Amino acid sequence: MENIFKTLKHHFGYTGFRLNQEEIINTVLAKKDAVVLMPTGGGKSICYQLPALLQHGVTIVVSPLIALMKDQVDALRLNGVKAAYLNSTLSSGEQQHIFQQLQSNQLKLLYVAPERLVGDARFIQFLKQVEISLFAIDEAHCISQWGHDFRPEYLVLGELKKQFPGVPLIALTATADALTKKDIIAKLALTEYTLFENSFNRPNIFYYVRPKLNYFDNLVSYLKAKTGDSGIIYCLSRAGTETLAGKLNAAGFRAEAYHAGLDKSVREDRQDRFLRDEIRIMVATIAFGMGINKSNVRFVVHADLPKNIEGYYQETGRAGRDGLQSDAILYYGVGDLQKLKSFAVVDGNPEQTKILLKKLDKMAAFSEARSCRRQFLLKYFNEEAPDFCGSCDVCLSNFEKVDATIEAQKILSGVSRLQQRFGVNYLIDFLRGSTTVKPEHQLLKTYGVGRDIGKEQWRIYILDLLHLGFLVKSEDEYPVLKLTEKSWAILKGEQRVQLVKSIVEKKDSGKKETTRLRMQPVLLEELKQVRNAQARKENVPNDLIFTDVTLIELATYLPMNLNDLGKISGFGNVKVGKYGAAFLSVVKSFCKENHLTSPMGLKDNGKKKHAGEPKMGDSKQYSLQLFRQGRNPAQIAAMREISLNTVESHLAYFIRIGELDIHLLVPKEKVKRILQEAQSMEDNRLAPLKERLGDDYSYAEIRAALNFWLHLKETGVDI
């Protein structure tokens, strides 16, 4: 283990592992197969790159795109790792040199395309003469026909276990539902393996869905507030990227289009300039992004509806790979849904068509949801999540509700009179008296009864009725609205209903996190200039030198010597030796000019300590610190990748010892009622109390109140 951590620090500049990384690495080092599901930015690459450095022989990495191979290899070489890639961009002489390096055991990692690995019989025979430590299949979902990015060339990888039975294999992906996961395992012929599934949650990404109608003005307002940040905007078509990029440039933004119809040299030039921050906004089709490893993308916008949740999740995952707060914005319009349904039909393959349409319907359901977006995403990937995340447009909005019983009756009556055979758009046209409605339907009693209400408001009402279960959608290729048992109580006038009239996004309260340290923004910009100059010198993207996270730590902790510098995340021994002097010089000059003292003393056992972060291992204290910074228990659970119950237990502990005011968690009237019931009962266990108090009281509230009672008893205070 000492050697593992030493190698991790030396080459990559990290002093510890993220969730499951250590277990995955130990599995691979034990020569066992592994299947890894880990979100984008979760640290998949370390899971095979570190074992490659700790074992004899070479690790063969299967990668789907040339640009992805180049980025990975460039980053490894900057970290002092002997790595190379084999693809069509290399001359025959360059390829021969790589073969010679393999024969003489000079490479630790070799990146190849799937067809090169198994489709070339001569290459297979050559590899059988080389010591191979591991096969790593990156973007493993590409092997599954149920995945969102199926690539037939990946199917040949099923031969690996036959051709190299003694070599362990690790398959990695960020996006796989249950069906895709099962298919990956079957197609790769894995029989004895360990499955590692990390949380799919990306707590630093904020999710927003906004109406597509007249979206451009909204987009421009958003981008003006993001001056200096990098982002990707996805469009459905090539023409769409060109049009939108042109409009953005006319509005004063640095944006370029990217799609498969451009000349290869143009695409490569634009991608390189985006990676170097010379282009801030890339307007692209889904062809863009798979091959880049840009850590400081602050926003991903979908100007058109994605085809499925997996693709949407992977594309939004290109934001915030450095862990800093980033946005995912989707502009949703039903016109996109109808267009994509026509594209989803696969000639001669009704089963595949059915699956694609079902995935598209899930994407539409996500866009129309009235519940937490994050919860919807996580449940799609079979992961439980709280009802409130505090970082999506639903959780950050106020929903104004009104008594809309009459409007609900009009909607339900319209569905009934249309014999439950039509969808949302047709029903709205019917209610508003549109002339596009069939002549026989214009004779019905409820035709035109909703002329006084706009289309979007009718849509909001219908979506709310769907959310509340008064309506359902069929699962046909073109879903229609149907009544439920709950519908009749409203139709008969036996039940009134409140529906959403307007949705207002909450304003920023202005409350900011307070920490004991302050990042120096002027110094940060100076450090970025040093980084960018070094990147130009070495002809690599800026963040392959250092990510923004590393520069932010430099501008916060202000290291004064090489020893301090080694405690900054991302500064391994290789990079300290290579870049240390240049960055230290800037930091020291800035501190001298501004009479600043380095706070590097805030560290624990030789490791730097993030502002306000408690000692590692004191889990309860860390939860309390995050709560005091303004995060609610659900957000803390998501950020720390622990259960909500655990966080609530941590906070209850601090209520008991008097370090946390209970009324920050439980309203006064509830505390009073809980304590009254607790005093009147002999049995003060949670379950009996919960049964007496009813559904209006959660277990967390009861636990907190009981801990408060214990605190009062221990301090001699009467209730």
Short mmCIF file of all heavy atoms in Angstrom, two decimals, residues 404-425:
data_model
loop_
_atom_site.label_atom_id
_atom_site.label_comp_id
_atom_site.label_asym_id
_atom_site.label_seq_id
_atom_site.Cartn_x
_atom_site.Cartn_y
_atom_site.Cartn_z
N ALA A 404 -57.79 25.13 -9.55
CA ALA A 404 -58.01 25.01 -11.00
C ALA A 404 -58.94 23.84 -11.29
O ALA A 404 -58.79 23.13 -12.29
CB ALA A 404 -56.68 24.83 -11.72
N THR A 405 -59.94 23.66 -10.40
CA THR A 405 -60.87 22.54 -10.57
C THR A 405 -61.61 22.64 -11.90
O THR A 405 -61.76 21.64 -12.62
CB THR A 405 -61.87 22.51 -9.40
OG1 THR A 405 -61.14 22.46 -8.18
CG2 THR A 405 -62.76 21.28 -9.50
N ILE A 406 -62.07 23.84 -12.24
CA ILE A 406 -62.82 24.00 -13.50
C ILE A 406 -61.93 23.69 -14.70
O ILE A 406 -62.34 22.99 -15.64
CB ILE A 406 -63.40 25.43 -13.60
CG1 ILE A 406 -64.46 25.63 -12.52
CG2 ILE A 406 -63.96 25.68 -14.99
CD1 ILE A 406 -65.00 27.05 -12.45
N GLU A 407 -60.69 24.20 -14.67
CA GLU A 407 -59.75 23.93 -15.77
C GLU A 407 -59.44 22.44 -15.87
O GLU A 407 -59.35 21.87 -16.96
CB GLU A 407 -58.46 24.73 -15.57
CG GLU A 407 -58.58 26.22 -15.79
CD GLU A 407 -59.19 26.97 -14.62
OE1 GLU A 407 -59.47 26.32 -13.58
OE2 GLU A 407 -59.41 28.19 -14.75
N ALA A 408 -59.32 21.79 -14.70
CA ALA A 408 -59.05 20.35 -14.69
C ALA A 408 -60.23 19.58 -15.29
O ALA A 408 -60.05 18.62 -16.04
CB ALA A 408 -58.78 19.87 -13.27
N GLN A 409 -61.46 20.02 -14.95
CA GLN A 409 -62.64 19.37 -15.52
C GLN A 409 -62.68 19.52 -17.03
O GLN A 409 -63.05 18.59 -17.76
CB GLN A 409 -63.90 19.96 -14.88
CG GLN A 409 -64.12 19.54 -13.44
CD GLN A 409 -65.27 20.26 -12.78
OE1 GLN A 409 -65.63 21.39 -13.17
NE2 GLN A 409 -65.88 19.63 -11.78
N LYS A 410 -62.30 20.70 -17.53
CA LYS A 410 -62.27 20.91 -18.98
C LYS A 410 -61.27 19.97 -19.64
O LYS A 410 -61.53 19.39 -20.70
CB LYS A 410 -61.91 22.36 -19.29
CG LYS A 410 -63.01 23.37 -18.94
CD LYS A 410 -62.56 24.80 -19.23
CE LYS A 410 -63.66 25.80 -18.86
NZ LYS A 410 -63.25 27.20 -19.13
N ILE A 411 -60.10 19.83 -19.03
CA ILE A 411 -59.06 18.94 -19.58
C ILE A 411 -59.54 17.50 -19.60
O ILE A 411 -59.47 16.80 -20.62
CB ILE A 411 -57.76 19.06 -18.76
CG1 ILE A 411 -57.12 20.44 -18.97
CG2 ILE A 411 -56.78 17.96 -19.14
CD1 ILE A 411 -56.00 20.74 -17.99
N LEU A 412 -60.04 17.02 -18.44
CA LEU A 412 -60.45 15.62 -18.33
C LEU A 412 -61.66 15.33 -19.22
O LEU A 412 -61.75 14.25 -19.83
CB LEU A 412 -60.76 15.29 -16.88
CG LEU A 412 -59.58 15.44 -15.90
CD1 LEU A 412 -60.02 15.19 -14.47
CD2 LEU A 412 -58.44 14.51 -16.28
N SER A 413 -62.57 16.29 -19.30
CA SER A 413 -63.73 16.12 -20.18
C SER A 413 -63.29 16.06 -21.64
O SER A 413 -63.80 15.26 -22.43
CB SER A 413 -64.71 17.28 -19.98
OG SER A 413 -65.81 17.17 -20.86
N GLY A 414 -62.31 16.91 -22.00
CA GLY A 414 -61.79 16.88 -23.37
C GLY A 414 -61.16 15.54 -23.70
O GLY A 414 -61.37 14.99 -24.79
N VAL A 415 -60.37 14.98 -22.77
CA VAL A 415 -59.76 13.66 -22.98
C VAL A 415 -60.85 12.62 -23.19
O VAL A 415 -60.76 11.75 -24.08
CB VAL A 415 -58.87 13.28 -21.78
CG1 VAL A 415 -58.39 11.83 -21.90
CG2 VAL A 415 -57.68 14.21 -21.68
N SER A 416 -61.92 12.69 -22.37
CA SER A 416 -63.01 11.72 -22.47
C SER A 416 -63.75 11.83 -23.80
O SER A 416 -63.99 10.84 -24.48
CB SER A 416 -63.97 11.94 -21.30
OG SER A 416 -65.08 11.07 -21.41
N ARG A 417 -64.09 13.07 -24.19
CA ARG A 417 -64.86 13.27 -25.42
C ARG A 417 -64.03 12.95 -26.67
O ARG A 417 -64.59 12.63 -27.72
CB ARG A 417 -65.41 14.70 -25.48
CG ARG A 417 -66.50 14.94 -24.43
CD ARG A 417 -67.08 16.33 -24.48
NE ARG A 417 -68.07 16.53 -23.44
CZ ARG A 417 -69.35 16.17 -23.52
NH1 ARG A 417 -69.80 15.58 -24.63
NH2 ARG A 417 -70.19 16.39 -22.51
N LEU A 418 -62.71 13.04 -26.53
CA LEU A 418 -61.83 12.64 -27.64
C LEU A 418 -61.52 11.15 -27.58
O LEU A 418 -60.63 10.66 -28.29
CB LEU A 418 -60.54 13.46 -27.60
CG LEU A 418 -60.68 14.94 -27.95
CD1 LEU A 418 -59.38 15.69 -27.66
CD2 LEU A 418 -61.09 15.13 -29.41
N GLN A 419 -62.25 10.45 -26.70
CA GLN A 419 -62.18 8.98 -26.57
C GLN A 419 -60.78 8.49 -26.21
O GLN A 419 -60.38 7.39 -26.58
CB GLN A 419 -62.69 8.31 -27.85
CG GLN A 419 -64.13 8.65 -28.17
CD GLN A 419 -64.63 7.98 -29.44
OE1 GLN A 419 -63.85 7.57 -30.30
NE2 GLN A 419 -65.95 7.87 -29.56
N GLN A 420 -60.04 9.35 -25.48
CA GLN A 420 -58.72 8.97 -24.97
C GLN A 420 -57.79 8.47 -26.09
O GLN A 420 -57.03 7.53 -25.91
CB GLN A 420 -58.85 7.89 -23.87
CG GLN A 420 -59.77 8.31 -22.73
CD GLN A 420 -59.91 7.26 -21.66
OE1 GLN A 420 -58.95 7.02 -20.91
NE2 GLN A 420 -61.07 6.62 -21.57
N ARG A 421 -57.85 9.16 -27.23
CA ARG A 421 -57.10 8.71 -28.41
C ARG A 421 -56.09 9.75 -28.92
O ARG A 421 -55.47 9.54 -29.95
CB ARG A 421 -58.08 8.36 -29.54
CG ARG A 421 -58.97 7.16 -29.25
CD ARG A 421 -60.00 6.98 -30.34
NE ARG A 421 -59.39 6.98 -31.66
CZ ARG A 421 -60.04 7.32 -32.79
NH1 ARG A 421 -61.30 7.73 -32.73
NH2 ARG A 421 -59.42 7.28 -33.95
N PHE A 422 -55.89 10.86 -28.16
CA PHE A 422 -55.03 11.92 -28.67
C PHE A 422 -54.04 12.38 -27.58
O PHE A 422 -54.24 12.15 -26.39
CB PHE A 422 -55.86 13.09 -29.18
CG PHE A 422 -56.67 12.75 -30.40
CD1 PHE A 422 -57.94 12.22 -30.26
CD2 PHE A 422 -56.12 12.92 -31.66
CE1 PHE A 422 -58.68 11.87 -31.39
CE2 PHE A 422 -56.85 12.58 -32.79
CZ PHE A 422 -58.14 12.05 -32.66
N GLY A 423 -52.99 13.04 -28.04
CA GLY A 423 -51.93 13.49 -27.15
C GLY A 423 -52.14 14.90 -26.64
O GLY A 423 -53.18 15.54 -26.89
N VAL A 424 -51.11 15.42 -25.97
CA VAL A 424 -51.20 16.72 -25.30
C VAL A 424 -51.45 17.85 -26.30
O VAL A 424 -52.34 18.69 -26.09
CB VAL A 424 -49.90 17.00 -24.50
CG1 VAL A 424 -49.92 18.41 -23.92
CG2 VAL A 424 -49.71 15.97 -23.40
N ASN A 425 -50.69 17.89 -27.38
CA ASN A 425 -50.80 19.01 -28.32
C ASN A 425 -52.19 19.10 -28.95
O ASN A 425 -52.77 20.19 -29.08
CB ASN A 425 -49.74 18.89 -29.42
CG ASN A 425 -48.35 19.16 -28.90
OD1 ASN A 425 -48.19 19.83 -27.89
ND2 ASN A 425 -47.34 18.64 -29.57
#
